[in-house]
């Protein structure tokens, strides 16, 4: 455990904050630097961020956004395992913000996990705050995003790449070059307008459906289909340049608010070598389902004819509401071979209808729109460094996912075991834990794990039709079971041999997912659906892990100091990003579909 008064922490908070104010010119040089060279001694890698609002047209349609350093996607954090990371945030917004480091376990640094109401208070507008954390126990492909008021949907996202030293990198010689590929759904309205509708009776509980999608912050939307009077121009597609007969590692990240995606490159296979920071025994696939919050690395060999090919991210519309938004569910980018010029690709995807539909019949549905809704086969994914299944189980939680109408305001909310989460962003659990006699409110949905090295099993039970990508902070977990129906301990088959370890797993519709982790990381860790709209409506709970050890660690003074300001005057939770005066205003959202019939009750214990 790191000392609270270590040189890294004290330097990063005091000195780096001063540097942020004095060395604003460092922004570009630090953020856009080449990947750091490996050094025998770990380094403190410093990043200076300024958070502002502006307008952007990543798919050709102009809308208000929130950005870090005026970049979308935001600046990449690229470091070596063992390095320390210092991120100095200047919040130039007129509202609070905070940042989460998705995939990093934050061992020894639990107060920097970035969740208001759990690990910290939000960063007040017009102030600076410094995050400082280590990377001793994590490698691979991860990402950062805002964790306050759905702000990541409005643009606050970026990649985190943590590299293995050459002597321990199992894939060092397996590829020649690498690229980061960030995928997302995209909305033409800021979250303020979308939440106003979603958190009303009129939505019938259906989350907002995106208008389009982006690859590396770029896309093309047909201006004839724009809803409202938003300015629109011709967009542009993301391009990956390939040299023939080379091997490319693609680090693929789904930063969507809601959409599961199916990634592929026409005429090319994908060799999967990493999932959520865990190196895998390689497997070959034609296409890759990747849900919100998940990451994969694949190796693609440029061994096809010298021409240009479509890169596809197809949206899983089969498991999303049918609200009309003129969405084109096939997001396209280009792979350009050296020597092929800039010609538009003519390659065809794997789904090509053999015959036109008969008269009066609807066209066939692309199976990709359903395939995107499911994780890769659990039994085909095994870590390169094997670990036995965690047992015996010491703590087991059955978590039932539900949506139902609030009897008071008649808004449909999400519930985990009949509790819809509601926390106080300015009274975080990590500070409440300092008082040993604290009694947590029911809607904080706190579960304590008090025994070190306890084996915790969580059974996520979903009797509803929609899928849910669940993410656990503070840990990678073993996925030991996943399927349709109801999980029965001792009867349902489990993945008992070297199960996949990751931090985000899909709970299928009308099905279950079972995960296990070891309690060895004192902190307050959120478990939530990574459909960001469902976070707002309550599909969240928290684990206070090893509370006595956490209490003994103390809390750095600048963490508690964040809470002194309190919420801004007039602040109301779950109102999203409302653009300041002068930025482009968006039209109201489209009407929701009629409510679906309630699912039949599922048999079970």
């Amino acid at each position: 455990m790191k000392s609270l008064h270590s040189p890294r922490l004290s330097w990063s908070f005091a000195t780096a904050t001063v540097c942020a104010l004095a060395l604003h010119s460092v922004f570009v040089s630090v953020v856009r630097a080449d990947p750091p060279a490996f050094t025998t001694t770990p380094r403190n890698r410093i990043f200076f961020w300024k958070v502002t609002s502006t307008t952007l047209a990543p798919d050709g349609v102009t809308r208000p956004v929130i950005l870090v350093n005026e970049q979308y996607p935001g600046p990449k954090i690229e470091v070596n395992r063992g390095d320390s990371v210092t991120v100095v945030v200047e919040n130039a917004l007129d509202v609070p913000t905070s940042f989460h480091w998705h995939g990093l376990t934050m061992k020894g640094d639990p107060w920097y996990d970035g969740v208001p109401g759990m690990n910290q208070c939000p960063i007040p507008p017009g102030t600076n705050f410094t995050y400082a954390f280590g990377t001793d126990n994590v490698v691979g492909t991860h990402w950062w995003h805002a964790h306050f008021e759905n702000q990541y949907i409005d643009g606050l996202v970026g990649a985190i790449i943590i590299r293995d030293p050459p002597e321990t990198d199992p894939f060092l010689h397996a590829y020649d070059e690498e690229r980061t590929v960030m995928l997302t759904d995209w909305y033409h309205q800021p979250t303020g307008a979308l939440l106003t509708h979603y958190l009303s009776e009129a939505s019938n509980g259906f989350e907002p459906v995106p208008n389009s999608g982006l690859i590396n912050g770029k896309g093309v939307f047909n201006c004839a289909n724009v809803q409202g009077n938003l300015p629109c121009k011709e967009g542009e597609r993301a391009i990956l340049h390939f040299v023939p007969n080379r091997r490319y590692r693609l680090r693929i990240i789904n930063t969507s608010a809601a959409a599961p995606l199916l990634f592929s490159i026409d005429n090319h296979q994908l060799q999967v070598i990493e999932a959520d920071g865990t190196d895998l025994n390689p497997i070959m696939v034609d296409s890759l389902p990747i849900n919100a919050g998940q990451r994969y690395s694949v190796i693609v060999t440029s061994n096809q004819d010298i021409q240009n090919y479509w890169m596809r991210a197809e949206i899983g519309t089969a498991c999303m509401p049918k609200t009309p938004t003129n969405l084109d569910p096939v997001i396209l980018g280009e792979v350009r071979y050296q020597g092929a010029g800039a010609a538009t690709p003519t390659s065809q995807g794997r789904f090509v209808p053999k015959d036109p539909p008969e008269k009066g019949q609807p066209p066939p549905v692309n199976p990709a729109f359903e395939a995107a809704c499911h994780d890769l086969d659990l039994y085909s994914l095994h870590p390169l460094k094997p670990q036995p299944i965690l047992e015996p189980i010491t703590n087991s939680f059955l978590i039932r996912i539900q949506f139902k109408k609030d009897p008071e305001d008649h808004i449909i909310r999400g519930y985990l075991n009949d509790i819809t989460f509601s926390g106080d962003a300015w009274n975080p659990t990590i500070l409440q834990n300092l008082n040993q006699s604290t009694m947590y409110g029911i809607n904080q949905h706190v579960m304590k794990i008090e025994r070190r090295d306890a084996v915790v099993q969580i059974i996520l039970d979903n009797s509803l039709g929609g899928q849910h990508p669940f993410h656990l902070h503070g840990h990678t977990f073993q996925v030991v079971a996943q399927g349709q129906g109801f999980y029965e301990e001792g009867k349902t088959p489990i993945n008992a041999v070297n199960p996949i370890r990751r931090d985000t797993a899909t709970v299928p519709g009308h099905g279950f997912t079972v995960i296990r982790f070891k309690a060895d990381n004192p902190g307050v860790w959120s478990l939530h659906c990574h459909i960001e709209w469902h976070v707002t409506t309550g599909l969240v709970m928290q684990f206070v892990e090893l509370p006595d050890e956490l209490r003994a660690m103390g809390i750095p003074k600048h963490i508690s100091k964040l809470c002194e300001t309190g919420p801004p005057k007039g602040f109301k939770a779950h109102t999203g990003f409302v653009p300041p005066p002068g930025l482009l205003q968006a039209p109201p959202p489209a009407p929701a579909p009629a409510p679906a019939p309630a699912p039949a009750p599922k048999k079970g214990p």
Side-chain angles (χ1 to χ4, degrees):
M1 184 182 303
K2 288 185 281 292
S3 166
L4 298 181
H5 305 288
S6 68
R8 175 172 68 81
L9 285 178
S10 59
W11 185 94
S12 62
F13 176 60
T15 309
T17 302
V18 173
C19 289
L21 300 175
L23 301 179
H24 188 273
S25 61
V26 177
F27 278 132
V28 173
S29 62
V30 171
V31 169
R32 297 181 182 176
D34 291 333
F38 285 97
T39 58
T40 55
T41 303
R43 300 292 181 87
N44 186 15
R45 311 288 181 178
I46 310 166
F47 301 84
F48 299 94
W49 289 2
K50 185 174 183 178
V51 186
T52 58
S53 59
T54 183
T55 57
L56 197 70
D59 63 352
V61 180
T62 302
R63 57 149 292 181
V65 293
I66 311 174
L67 303 180
V68 168
N69 296 356
E70 299 185 351
Q71 299 177 43
Y72 184 77
K76 182 190 297 185
I77 293 177
E78 197 162 10
V79 301
N80 303 319
R81 179 167 59 87
D83 285 347
S84 297
V85 176
T86 298
V87 182
V88 184
V89 178
E90 177 187 350
N91 181 10
L93 301 172
D94 58 3
V95 294
T97 192
S98 74
F99 291 93
H100 170 59
W101 320 97
H102 186 120
L104 278 62
T105 59
M106 310 309 286
K107 248 185 181 176
D109 303 307
W111 35 80
Y112 291 126
D113 192 50
V115 184
M118 294 189 188
N119 320 106
Q120 69 166 85
C121 290
I123 305 170
T127 67
N128 298 278
F129 181 75
T130 299
Y131 291 94
F133 48 88
T135 62
D136 294 341
N137 63 335
V138 62
V139 296
T141 307
H142 308 286
W143 63 301
W144 60 262
H145 60 82
H147 218 295
F148 182 77
E149 284 290 301
N150 308 98
Q151 288 174 344
Y152 95 67
I153 304 174
D154 293 304
L156 292 181
V157 299
I160 301 176
I161 309 300
I162 302 176
R163 302 182 180 281
D164 241 344
E167 60 271 16
T168 57
D169 184 352
F171 298 111
L172 181 66
H173 302 294
Y175 58 92
D176 304 299
E177 299 181 48
E178 73 172 64
R179 306 282 189 269
T180 300
V181 180
M182 298 189 70
L183 311 174
T184 190
D185 53 20
W186 189 249
Y187 297 79
H188 291 160
Q189 303 167 76
T191 51
L194 296 168
L195 284 170
T196 297
H197 179 71
Y198 180 43
L199 298 178
S200 72
E201 288 187 75
S203 74
N204 296 313
F206 291 98
E207 64 268 14
V209 171
N211 299 98
S212 70
L214 309 173
I215 299 177
N216 284 345
K218 296 181 178 181
V220 174
F221 190 82
N222 185 345
C223 291
N225 293 331
V226 173
Q227 295 176 325
N229 296 316
L230 292 171
C232 185
K233 61 183 180 181
E234 186 176 356
E236 59 179 301
R237 305 192 193 279
I239 299 171
L240 298 184
H241 293 278
F242 280 9
V243 174
N245 298 311
R246 289 181 70 80
R247 301 161 301 170
Y248 292 86
R249 177 177 185 163
L250 305 184
R251 296 180 181 268
I252 306 168
I253 307 169
N254 185 349
T255 69
S256 290
L261 302 168
L262 189 74
F263 178 84
S264 63
I265 299 175
D266 292 354
N267 294 26
H268 293 73
Q269 285 194 304
L270 314 174
Q271 185 182 45
V272 184
I273 62 168
E274 178 212 353
D276 293 1
T278 298
D279 292 328
L280 301 176
N281 290 315
I283 64 168
M284 298 297 295
V285 299
D286 293 324
S287 54
L288 178 77
I290 179 169
N291 215 331
Q294 292 183 331
R295 295 89 63 210
Y296 286 97
S297 280
V298 302
I299 294 175
V300 181
T301 302
S302 53
N303 56 4
Q304 299 301 300
D305 293 342
I306 297 178
Q307 62 183 63
N308 299 329
Y309 298 88
W310 288 121
M311 171 171 51
R312 302 173 187 268
E314 296 168 285
I315 294 177
T317 53
C319 50
M320 297 178 68
K322 309 306 179 190
T323 307
T325 61
N326 292 335
L327 169 68
D328 182 350
V330 181
I331 310 165
L332 294 174
E334 297 182 28
V335 171
R336 291 186 180 177
Y337 271 56
Q338 186 181 70
T344 300
T346 58
S347 60
Q348 292 185 319
R350 288 175 175 80
F351 174 70
V352 179
K354 294 181 180 179
D355 301 300
E358 295 182 10
K359 187 175 181 179
Q361 296 298 313
V365 176
N366 186 340
F369 303 155
E370 167 65 29
C373 300
H374 307 276
D375 279 346
L376 278 176
D377 176 40
L378 184 64
Y379 291 91
S380 66
L381 299 177
H382 295 285
L384 193 61
K385 297 177 182 178
Q387 289 184 8
I389 189 171
L390 291 170
E391 54 187 3
I393 301 165
T394 56
N395 301 65
S396 187
F397 301 94
L398 172 61
I399 308 297
R400 288 197 165 98
I401 302 166
Q402 302 165 296
F403 282 85
K404 53 188 178 182
K405 185 174 290 189
D406 187 300
E408 295 184 6
D409 60 18
H410 308 293
I411 295 172
I412 295 176
R413 302 186 188 278
Y415 292 78
L416 299 178
N417 288 356
D418 288 320
I419 299 174
T420 185
F421 179 82
S422 177
D424 181 351
W426 282 269
N427 186 20
T429 307
I430 199 167
L431 292 183
Q432 294 182 50
N433 180 67
L434 294 175
N435 182 351
Q436 193 168 357
S437 60
T438 290
M439 299 292 291
Y440 298 107
I442 291 175
N443 290 99
Q444 287 183 266
H445 207 162
V446 170
M447 309 297 289
K448 288 186 178 181
I449 304 171
E450 301 185 283
R451 173 183 165 187
R452 175 165 275 278
D453 294 331
V455 174
V456 182
Q457 175 170 279
I458 301 173
I459 303 166
L460 292 159
D461 171 51
N462 179 23
S463 63
L464 306 177
Q467 56 82 37
H468 298 276
F470 263 77
H471 171 54
L472 177 64
H473 293 218
H475 289 276
T476 56
F477 49 70
Q478 295 180 339
V479 187
V480 301
Q482 193 174 49
Q484 300 294 315
F486 187 80
Y487 177 80
E488 296 183 79
E489 191 74 51
K491 295 183 180 180
T492 303
I494 65 172
N495 184 25
V497 179
N498 189 24
I500 177 64
R501 303 187 296 273
R502 64 186 320 164
D503 58 64
T504 308
T506 301
V507 185
H510 302 298
F512 60 86
T513 293
V514 182
I515 64 175
R516 293 181 189 177
F517 66 93
K518 181 181 287 188
D520 58 3
N521 190 11
V524 178
W525 308 121
S526 178
L527 174 70
H528 63 89
C529 176
H530 221 289
I531 295 175
E532 183 69 357
W533 309 109
H534 294 174
V535 172
T536 300
T537 55
L539 283 191
V540 181
M541 61 184 297
Q542 54 184 321
F543 291 93
V544 178
E545 184 173 339
L546 307 177
D548 293 339
E549 292 187 36
L550 177 61
R551 194 175 303 115
M553 292 167 69
I555 304 294
K557 289 183 178 180
H558 63 285
I559 301 297
S560 55
K561 188 175 178 62
L562 275 178
C563 303
E564 294 177 359
T565 306
K569 185 178 180 180
F571 174 80
K572 184 179 179 182
H574 309 315
T575 53
F577 171 43
V578 178
L583 278 186
L584 184 72
Q585 300 296 315
K602 186 180 63 172
K603 295 181 180 179

